[in-house]
C-alpha cells in the first residue's frame, strides 16, 4: 500500500481551489465503487463486490472523519436512513451526524439532523461550492452523472474492484455520460487488489 493514502491527503489539502475569477471555491469529490468493466454492482455480488479488506476499511473510515458535506440522492438517503437499528454501527452514526444535502423532488422530510432537502441539484451544489467545506457524494450514481454533466466535479475517485461482471453487472456507471477527458492526479492500491485512481475532469477529449 502506498504512503497511507497520500493522494487522498493531498486532495483534501486542496479543498479550496481558485476559479478563473480568483474566487475561492470548495472542491466536490465524487467517489464511485466499480468493477473492472465499469458496473456499480453485480446481481449476485455482496457489498464491495466481496473484496473488502483492512485497507479499504481504513480508507472508508478516514473519509468519514474529514470535515465535509455529503451530497446524495433520495434512494441512497432512504436506504441508509432506513437501516434497522441492529446494523447501525459507529460509521452509520457518524454519517447520520454529518451535514448532508439530499437532492430530491419528492422527499419532504429527513430524519437525520443537519440534513437539508433540495429539488435543484445543480443550483444547490453551485451555491455550496462557494462555502468553506469539502463536498463529497455518497453513492447516488445519478447524482454523480448529473454533476459530471454540469462540470461541477473537481475530483473523480474510482475504486476499481478486481472482477468483471459481464453476465450479472448492474448499473453501467459511464453509460449515460458524454465523452470527457480526465487527468490522473493520484493512484494507489488497497489490500493488494483494489485500485484507487483519482482523476480531475479536464474538459473535452483531444479528438473532440
Amino acid at each position: 500500500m502506498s504512503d497511507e493514502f497520500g493522494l487522498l491527503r493531498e486532495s483534501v489539502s486542496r479543498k479550496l481551489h481558485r476559479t478563473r475569477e480568483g474566487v475561492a471555491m470548495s472542491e466536490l469529490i465524487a467517489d464511485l465503487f466499480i468493477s473492472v468493466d465499469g458496473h456499480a454492482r453485480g446481481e449476485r455480488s455482496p457489498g464491495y463486490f466481496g473484496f473488502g479488506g483492512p485497507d479499504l476499511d481504513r480508507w472508508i473510515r478516514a473519509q468519514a472523519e474529514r470535515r465535509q458535506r455529503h451530497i446524495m440522492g433520495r434512494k441512497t438517503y432512504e436506504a441508509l436512513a432506513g437501516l434497522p437499528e441492529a446494523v447501525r454501527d459507529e460509521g452509520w452514526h457518524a454519517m447520520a451526524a454529518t451535514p448532508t444535502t439530499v437532492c430530491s423532488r419528492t422527499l419532504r422530510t429527513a430524519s437525520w439532523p443537519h440534513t437539508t432537502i433540495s429539488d435543484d441539484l445543480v443550483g444547490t451544489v453551485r451555491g455550496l461550492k462557494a462555502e468553506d467545506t469539502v463536498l463529497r457524494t455518497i453513492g447516488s450514481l445519478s447524482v454523480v452523472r448529473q454533476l459530471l454533466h454540469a462540470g461541477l466535479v473537481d475530483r473523480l475517485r474510482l475504486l476499481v474492484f478486481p472482477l468483471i461482471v459481464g453476465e450479472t453487472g448492474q448499473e453501467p456507471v459511464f453509460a449515460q455520460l458524454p465523452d470527457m477527458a480526465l487527468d490522473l492526479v493520484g493512484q494507489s492500491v488497497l489490500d493488494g487488489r483494489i485500485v484507487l485512481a483519482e482523476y480531475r475532469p479536464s474538459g473535452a477529449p483531444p479528438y473532440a
Side-chain angles (χ1 to χ4, degrees):
M1 181 181 63
S2 65
D3 179 31
E4 194 59 28
F5 317 128
L7 70 92
L8 303 175
R9 291 200 303 270
E10 187 269 342
S11 173
V12 173
S13 71
R14 295 190 311 269
K15 71 176 182 178
L16 296 179
H17 65 284
R18 297 281 172 180
T19 66
R20 291 176 184 173
E21 295 76 22
V23 179
M25 300 288 285
S26 293
E27 283 200 325
L28 187 144
I29 300 169
D31 292 337
L32 292 173
F33 288 27
I34 65 173
S35 62
V36 166
D37 56 339
H39 289 87
R41 62 187 180 90
E43 186 179 341
R44 299 194 300 262
S45 302
Y48 311 132
F49 295 97
F51 289 95
D55 284 353
L56 179 61
D57 289 344
R58 280 193 294 270
W59 184 86
I60 292 172
R61 205 161 45 242
Q63 303 317 301
E65 292 171 353
R66 302 185 189 282
R67 179 174 174 263
Q68 61 193 302
R69 171 174 285 275
H70 292 159
I71 309 293
M72 65 180 70
R74 175 186 60 82
K75 291 182 180 179
T76 298
Y77 172 75
E78 289 182 337
L80 292 170
L83 286 174
E85 190 67 37
V87 299
R88 296 182 179 183
D89 57 11
E90 182 180 344
W92 184 94
H93 287 285
M95 180 177 294
T98 299
T100 298
T101 296
V102 180
C103 297
S104 170
R105 293 188 176 91
T106 59
L107 190 66
R108 294 292 175 261
T109 61
S111 59
W112 286 359
H114 319 300
T115 294
T116 58
I117 301 170
S118 170
D119 63 0
D120 178 10
L121 170 63
V122 171
T124 296
V125 168
R126 282 201 175 110
L128 289 170
K129 283 171 71 70
E131 301 178 6
D132 181 12
T133 186
V134 170
L135 306 177
R136 177 175 169 239
T137 65
I138 300 293
S140 307
L141 179 55
S142 65
V143 166
V144 175
R145 285 173 176 157
Q146 291 177 68
L147 294 174
L148 282 168
H149 268 290
L152 293 174
V153 174
D154 300 292
R155 292 287 183 264
L156 177 63
R157 299 194 302 205
L158 301 181
L159 286 96
V160 184
F161 289 77
L163 81 166
I164 293 170
V165 286
E167 178 184 354
T168 64
Q170 304 288 310
E171 298 185 278
V173 171
F174 308 111
Q176 299 176 25
L177 289 170
D179 293 7
M180 61 179 65
L182 303 170
D183 291 337
L184 181 66
V185 296
Q187 60 184 329
S188 60
V189 177
L190 309 183
D191 298 307
R193 57 193 180 186
I194 303 166
V195 177
L196 170 57
E198 183 176 355
Y199 295 95
R200 177 174 59 82
S202 55
Y207 57 79

